[in-house]
Amino acid sequence: MIPCDAMDLLLTNLSIATMAGPDYGVVDDAAIAIEGGRIAWLGPLADLPGIEATERRSLGGRWVTPALIDCHTHLVFAGDRSGEFERRLRGESYEDIARAGGGIMSTVRATRRASADELYAAALPRVLALQAEGTGTIEIKSGYGLDIDSELKMLSVARRLGEASGATIRTTLLAAHTVPPEFADDPDGYVDLICDELLPEVVAGRLADAVDAYCESIAFSTSQVARVFARATELGLPVKLHADQLSDSGGAALAAGFGALSADHLEYASADGVRSMARAGAVAVLLPGAFLTLGEKQVPPVDSLRGAGVPMAVASDCNPGTSPICSIRNAMMLAARLFRLTPEECLAGATREAARALGLDDRGTVEVGKRADLAIWEIGHPRELAYWLGTPQLAELLTDGHTTAP
Ligand code: NIG
Ligand code: FE
């Protein structure tokens, strides 16, 4: 127990899925004491020591889990790509639409035109939707600006969303998302711009917590990504990678070689890539919303990842092109149904392993000393969280010990 005179909040009459041990780390008939935004005590109510608390609440038998963490989103954007979805349903491929100037570039044009206030107003409901289903921490990537001012604008909007919502927002620079038209004939010149000008400015303004890139034939080669990652590492920022989504581009091994926090997507990751990730301790972030929306056929190598002991996170990938899904709960159910993760892996993937994919060791489980980021649910068992689709079951979200939603 954290030593203190009196607790801020004592929760009783609840079951906990701590996600800190096998079988969801369940503690039944439990109590949780919160002090200074941290979990100060938890365990069976019968073992509760005499505790003074400013506020005491009975949760009426409800379940408590770590607050959910969406560790991969692109939720700051302008414009609409539902027309591209119609084209893809008629048979055009994502790559063909991208090569014809649509895809990511379509969102870049709209995002460049939008003011910071317009981007903020469009993104806030997406943050609130994630909070309303129990999400306490959200990662947001740039990558729809692709010039210095527009990338900085996106990251600033993401920071502002954190200040306004009470959610923890982790920002990621994804300037290496696709080559902007100004550099169509000189992609390496764009990589130079990222390394020499944008990254130092982002670091000086403390605007990003990590650096991401898209390694794919329609985006950046392994050697271009390696340059961006080397510079990010030099400047002290951790890296993560959109890897092996549409083809085996050697992305998983590349990310592992740089000690990446995570490699994300991974549908086409090779056996060698999986082994490298296991050695490097990189998290596999699985994004079933993109798999579903693109009508992909090849699932990520979940059995190999599991067998090699690679931690698996699950995220929404909320974006207007490949994953119009602003819901981590839906991503959890899709990961179970489409990728055959167990419901327990899905919940770990949206809590404990998602925290790890963001390099955050102060959350993701319910344990003494961790942040009091807790989701309180109207459910009969935590496996239901990867079972119901589009069904609100959140009773309350606490972040830092304070009610954030509903
Ligand atoms: O995670 N793969 C690249 N990036 C996004 C898609 C972005 C877009 O199409 O707008 C993804 O799927
Ligand atoms: Fe993505």
Side-chain angles (χ1 to χ4, degrees):
M1 183 164 64
I2 292 177
C4 55
D5 298 335
M7 301 289 165
D8 296 326
L9 178 61
L10 179 63
L11 303 172
T12 58
N13 200 6
L14 55 106
S15 293
I16 316 172
T18 65
M19 304 313 289
D23 296 327
Y24 298 87
V26 168
V27 185
D28 280 319
D29 301 318
I32 301 175
I34 295 167
E35 166 62 20
R38 298 272 164 168
I39 298 167
W41 189 90
L42 72 98
L45 183 60
D47 299 345
L48 182 68
I51 277 179
E52 295 286 309
T54 311
E55 186 188 352
R56 286 174 179 256
R57 283 168 51 195
S58 163
L59 296 189
R62 292 188 178 88
W63 278 87
V64 175
T65 69
L68 303 181
I69 298 172
D70 195 348
C71 68
H72 180 140
T73 86
H74 310 246
L75 65 72
V76 171
F77 64 86
D80 162 61
R81 289 184 27 217
S82 52
E84 287 185 6
F85 184 53
E86 286 182 332
R87 286 166 63 186
R88 289 204 305 273
L89 291 173
R90 287 197 295 265
E92 281 185 71
S93 75
Y94 180 72
E95 290 98 318
D96 287 347
I97 291 172
R99 286 197 191 94
I104 294 169
M105 271 318 298
S106 154
T107 304
V108 169
R109 285 188 291 275
T111 303
R112 284 180 175 180
R113 275 196 303 270
S115 68
D117 285 346
E118 286 165 343
L119 283 177
Y120 175 84
L124 185 60
R126 300 174 194 135
V127 169
L128 298 179
L130 286 167
Q131 282 185 307
E133 57 170 19
T135 312
T137 301
I138 302 166
E139 185 256 18
I140 302 177
K141 301 175 194 297
S142 68
Y144 292 129
L146 311 188
D147 61 38
I148 291 182
D149 288 348
S150 308
E151 286 291 303
L152 297 178
K153 175 176 70 177
M154 287 190 72
L155 293 171
S156 309
V157 167
R159 284 276 191 247
R160 207 173 128 197
L161 287 163
E163 289 153 22
S165 65
T168 301
I169 302 286
R170 300 292 284 183
T171 57
T172 302
L173 178 73
L174 176 58
H177 199 188
T178 196
V179 178
E182 305 81 50
F183 286 91
D185 298 328
D186 182 21
D188 286 309
Y190 180 57
V191 175
D192 290 340
L193 178 84
I194 296 173
C195 294
D196 299 342
E197 295 180 49
L198 183 53
L199 263 167
E201 206 162 326
V202 164
V203 169
R206 295 176 183 271
L207 283 171
D209 303 306
V211 170
D212 195 347
Y214 185 22
C215 187
E216 194 65 61
S217 59
I218 53 170
F220 295 90
S221 67
T222 46
S223 58
Q224 289 166 332
V225 172
R227 285 176 56 211
V228 175
F229 279 8
R231 186 72 173 123
T233 307
E234 200 176 273
L235 292 169
L237 284 175
V239 298
K240 41 182 52 245
L241 186 64
H242 281 70
D244 305 325
Q245 178 187 15
L246 305 171
S247 60
D248 176 9
S249 317
L254 173 71
F258 276 92
L261 289 171
S262 69
D264 305 31
H265 288 288
L266 297 173
E267 276 79 350
Y268 288 84
S270 65
D272 179 50
V274 171
R275 276 193 298 273
S276 314
M277 286 180 67
R279 274 197 301 274
V283 178
V285 177
L286 304 179
L287 305 166
F291 174 90
L292 174 75
T293 305
L294 291 176
E296 291 292 319
K297 297 285 179 284
Q298 177 151 334
V299 300
V302 165
D303 290 340
S304 313
L305 291 165
R306 190 188 282 125
V310 176
M312 293 182 286
V314 175
S316 73
D317 198 11
C318 176
N319 78 73
T322 64
S323 193
I325 299 172
C326 201
S327 166
I328 182 75
R329 286 288 310 279
N330 286 356
M332 290 163 67
M333 192 280 192
L334 294 176
R337 183 60 278 175
L338 301 176
F339 294 168
R340 292 179 173 270
L341 266 67
T342 66
E344 185 175 359
E345 285 173 330
C346 292
L347 183 55
T351 54
R352 188 181 68 225
E353 312 305 5
R356 195 164 159 181
L358 296 178
L360 297 172
D361 58 11
D362 64 346
R363 67 197 73 194
T365 58
V366 184
E367 290 180 277
V368 169
K370 298 264 171 160
R371 266 171 68 102
D373 282 13
L374 303 171
I376 304 169
W377 304 99
E378 305 276 3
I379 53 174
H381 189 277
R383 66 177 158 253
E384 286 185 45
L385 298 174
Y387 165 65
W388 288 96
L389 198 58
T391 307
Q393 289 162 308
L394 184 77
E396 188 175 340
L397 173 66
L398 299 178
T399 52
D400 226 5
H402 301 289
T403 303
T404 316

